[in-house]
């Protein structure tokens, strides 16, 4: 049974009325006031509170947050591995809340899922692991063979079809997991820490494969990860969860370039380059002599789309300008980065220097004197 035929009119809660936000009508996955409470051993655990979120078709959408923030609970309500305690989940505007078993089986075929620990059957070969869900669905043999062959080719495991999981590397196991998740041509692929058990090089190759699947098959990818570089590499938008609530969301370049919430700042800190400790220890809040350099931090948060013109910047600051640390990287075409500059012998005061630097960077901070 097609889920689209089950569509019915639903009243909208006031804050997110779809007629005021046309993108909500196009959303493929929508959470409305979603809450989840578990019955823990020490009483109820409220894992999610009032989640309102819309994910568009074809997006690569990242979910980040500290351990226990509610990421897995949220993603698992999309295919109803978890039943929400309150609120609703809409897939293509259809509320999946009251689906019976048959409709849930149909829904889960539209939504593939891959896991951190691959969840493969150790006694079955690669071929049979991928074939199994097709068998369960009663797909005829010839069709099964065509599909398994096509998917093993897609994930680059054509030669390994007779291998058992124990004979595969972590990356190869995850490729089997991806092939198996794609057997029913899903529209959405959920990835719960799909690369966390892999080394950096293998992570890169799995990310490349996921991105290729997103682009070639037009699949929506929703992924949870603790690796911020994964988000930076392939996601379009990201949401930050903390204690079961959304604390920040937006395009990756924006959230990474200028994180607003403390949790986002903490999670992204490993990607930011602070002043090296040996330089930090030389910094003073006041100049100890007229020779002391003023240390400025310039952040490029991507909103200007342009790399800094260093010659023009240095000449506007005057004096002798040294680059202590820094660099610029690109996310979704936006230039993001930080430059730590030491300005010495300029005729301008600290405030004037800060303002001039502000013509080149979105955020400028005076870190102190010295170095
Ligand atoms: N089956 C359960 N029974 C009771 N409490 C649960 C259950 N599943 C999750 N929780 C609790 O709900 C909260 C959210 O858990 P969840 O697994 O969604 O977090 P997470 O963000 O995925 O964390 P991690 O990054 O560690 O995977 C946690 O406090 C967790 O202990
Ligand atoms: Mg989790």
């Amino acid at each position: 049974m097609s889920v689209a035929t089950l569509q019915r009119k639903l009243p909208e809660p006031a804050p997110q009325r779809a007629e005021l936000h046309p993108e909500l009508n196009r959303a493929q996955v929508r959470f409305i006031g979603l809450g989840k409470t578990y019955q823990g051993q020490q009483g109820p655990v409220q894992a999610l509170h009032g989640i309102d979120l819309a994910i568009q078709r074809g997006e690569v959408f990242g979910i980040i947050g500290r351990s226990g923030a509610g990421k897995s609970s949220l993603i698992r309500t999309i295919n109803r591995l978890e039943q929400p305690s309150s609120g609703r989940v809409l897939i293509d505007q259809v509320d999946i809340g009251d689906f019976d078993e048959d409709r849930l089986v149909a829904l889960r075929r539209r939504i593939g899922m891959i896991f951190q620990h691959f969840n493969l059957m150790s006694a079955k070969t690669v071929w049979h692991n991928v074939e199994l869900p097709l068998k369960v669905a009663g797909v005829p043999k010839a069709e099964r063979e065509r599909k398994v062959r096509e998917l093993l080719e897609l994930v680059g495991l054509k030669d390994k079809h007779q291998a058992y999981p124990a004979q595969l590397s972590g990356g190869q196991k995850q490729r089997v997991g991806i092939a198996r998740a794609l057997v029913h041509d899903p529209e959405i692929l959920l990835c719960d820490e799909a690369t966390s058990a892999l080394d950096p090089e293998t992570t890169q190759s799995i990310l490349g494969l996921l991105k290729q699947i997103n682009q070639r098959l037009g699949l929506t990818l929703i992924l949870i990860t603790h690796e911020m570089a994964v988000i930076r590499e392939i996601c379009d938008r990201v949401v930050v969860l903390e204690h079961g609530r959304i604390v920040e969301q937006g395009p990756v370049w924006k959230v990474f370039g200028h994180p607003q919430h403390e949790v986002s700042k903490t999670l992204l800190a490993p990607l930011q380059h602070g002043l090296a400790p040996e330089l930090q220890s030389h910094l003073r809040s006041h100049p100890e002599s007229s020779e002391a350099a003023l240390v400025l931090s310039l952040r490029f948060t991507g909103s200007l789309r342009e790399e800094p013109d260093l010659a023009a910047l240095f000449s506007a600051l005057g004096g002798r300008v040294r680059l202590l640390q820094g660099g610029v990287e690109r996310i979704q075409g936006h230039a993001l980065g930080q430059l730590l500059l030491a300005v010495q012998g300029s005729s301008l005061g600290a405030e004037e220097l800060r303002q001039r630097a502000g013509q080149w960077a979105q955020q400028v901070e005076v870190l102190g004197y010295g170095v």
Side-chain angles (χ1 to χ4, degrees):
M1 193 184 317
S2 151
V3 177
T5 62
L6 304 170
Q7 194 163 345
R8 60 193 168 89
K9 277 263 170 273
L10 295 161
E12 294 287 338
Q16 280 219 336
R17 290 180 74 90
E19 61 268 30
L20 299 180
H21 301 279
E23 75 281 2
L24 295 178
N25 267 336
R26 292 191 299 272
Q28 187 174 30
V29 179
R30 208 174 144 203
F31 304 97
I32 303 174
L34 186 82
K36 174 72 189 175
T37 305
Y38 294 102
Q39 292 314 319
Q41 280 166 347
Q42 273 101 42
V45 179
Q46 200 165 0
L48 296 170
H49 315 248
I51 300 284
D52 288 309
L53 184 65
I55 300 173
Q56 308 299 325
R57 185 178 294 276
E59 262 196 302
V60 183
F61 193 88
I63 302 173
I64 61 175
R66 295 191 178 114
S67 190
K71 305 178 296 295
S72 297
S73 302
L74 179 65
I75 211 174
R76 290 162 67 90
T77 63
I78 299 173
N79 56 0
R80 274 274 297 281
L81 289 180
E82 291 295 351
Q83 169 85 28
S85 310
S86 57
R88 294 181 291 157
V89 179
L90 311 190
I91 310 286
D92 289 327
Q93 290 89 54
V94 178
D95 189 338
I96 63 168
D98 53 9
F99 274 21
D100 59 18
E101 269 309 307
D102 285 350
R103 287 154 96 188
L104 277 182
V105 168
L107 177 78
R108 287 180 186 142
R109 291 195 179 137
R110 298 172 58 203
I111 303 174
M113 188 160 189
I114 53 175
F115 305 88
Q116 179 177 5
H117 297 296
F118 325 121
N119 295 14
L120 302 180
M121 315 268 280
S122 59
K124 289 192 182 294
T125 62
V126 165
W127 181 281
H128 288 123
N129 263 284
V130 180
E131 189 188 28
L132 188 64
L134 291 167
K135 262 189 169 166
V136 172
V139 175
K141 189 159 189 283
E143 171 64 13
R144 292 201 308 261
E145 286 189 355
R146 188 192 62 76
K147 192 74 204 174
V148 176
R149 196 168 295 118
E150 172 195 311
L151 285 172
L152 290 181
E153 172 103 42
L154 175 76
V155 301
L157 284 182
K158 217 168 52 175
D159 304 338
K160 294 280 181 191
H161 67 276
Q162 285 180 316
Y164 286 88
Q167 298 166 320
L168 300 177
S169 69
Q172 289 167 336
K173 285 182 202 165
Q174 195 54 291
R175 285 170 187 268
V176 180
I178 293 171
R180 186 188 49 190
L182 296 178
V183 288
H184 296 301
D185 298 322
E187 298 153 46
I188 302 171
L189 185 60
L190 309 178
C191 312
D192 195 345
E193 299 189 38
T195 57
S196 304
L198 306 176
D199 63 56
E201 196 182 335
T202 313
T203 293
Q204 281 303 318
S205 77
I206 293 293
L207 291 181
L209 176 62
L210 290 174
K211 189 75 198 169
Q212 184 194 345
I213 288 167
N214 161 253
Q215 287 171 346
R216 260 179 59 183
L217 309 179
L219 218 83
T220 308
L221 275 182
I222 304 177
L223 58 95
I224 294 174
T225 181
H226 286 280
E227 300 161 287
M228 296 306 118
V230 168
I231 302 280
R232 181 178 58 188
E233 183 93 12
I234 69 168
C235 289
D236 302 310
R237 285 196 301 145
V238 63
V239 65
V240 187
L241 292 186
E242 171 75 345
H243 300 310
R245 298 179 198 276
I246 294 177
V247 294
E248 188 161 355
Q249 62 172 307
V252 170
W253 69 266
K254 222 169 186 172
V255 175
F256 276 46
H258 196 190
Q260 302 293 313
H261 194 275
E262 275 318 307
V263 173
S264 326
K265 288 179 191 167
T266 309
L267 291 172
L268 295 170
L271 294 183
Q272 319 248 324
H273 310 288
L275 195 60
E278 68 273 22
L279 295 180
Q280 187 81 46
S281 64
H282 284 105
L283 273 188
R284 305 283 175 266
S285 53
H286 296 287
E288 286 184 340
S289 75
S290 57
E291 296 297 296
L294 180 78
V295 179
L296 293 171
S297 160
L298 278 65
R299 275 191 191 282
F300 304 89
T301 57
S303 32
L304 288 185
R305 267 188 182 271
E306 276 187 13
E307 304 84 2
D309 176 344
L310 291 183
L313 166 64
F314 285 14
S315 111
L317 298 178
R320 175 174 172 242
V321 184
R322 284 173 296 141
L323 174 59
L324 299 177
Q325 262 179 235
V328 171
E329 60 179 344
R330 307 200 76 89
I331 303 183
Q332 297 174 310
H334 294 260
L336 303 181
Q338 185 184 27
L339 299 179
L340 293 168
L341 303 179
V343 187
Q344 209 164 9
S346 171
S347 57
L348 305 170
E351 181 51 28
E352 175 77 351
L353 284 171
R354 200 182 63 73
Q355 283 190 11
R356 289 217 176 174
Q359 293 168 11
W360 275 266
Q362 287 79 49
Q363 279 176 277
V364 182
E365 206 183 331
V366 175
L367 298 186
Y369 296 86
V371 196

